[in-house]
Amino acid sequence: MPAAAPEPAAPAEGDLDLAADQAIAACGGDAREAVKALLAANDFLEAQLDGLRKKVSAGYARGRFPGA
């Protein structure tokens, strides 16, 4: 039986702070605009993931994905 995949490591707090600073800077220093941009990017990625999940066969997914 194959070993379970390891859980992804949580990013270090300093990395998150740096990423947040970069996102805010990319939006001209406006934190609200940075949040809106990140939400839009997240929606786009979730839509892509949903599309890929629909393409995975039910046999391969073995019930792991709803709608697969």
Side-chain angles (χ1 to χ4, degrees):
M1 184 166 185
E7 289 293 320
E13 187 175 329
D15 293 343
L16 290 176
D17 287 338
L18 177 61
D21 290 342
Q22 289 173 340
I24 293 168
C27 292
D30 187 343
R32 184 177 180 84
E33 288 301 315
V35 170
K36 288 169 38 178
L38 292 170
L39 289 171
N42 191 57
D43 285 344
F44 171 77
L45 292 172
E46 285 194 21
Q48 280 191 320
L49 184 57
D50 187 49
L52 291 172
R53 282 183 177 150
K54 289 178 182 176
K55 292 179 182 179
V56 172
S57 72
Y60 180 78
R62 294 187 182 117
R64 286 178 267 196
F65 307 126

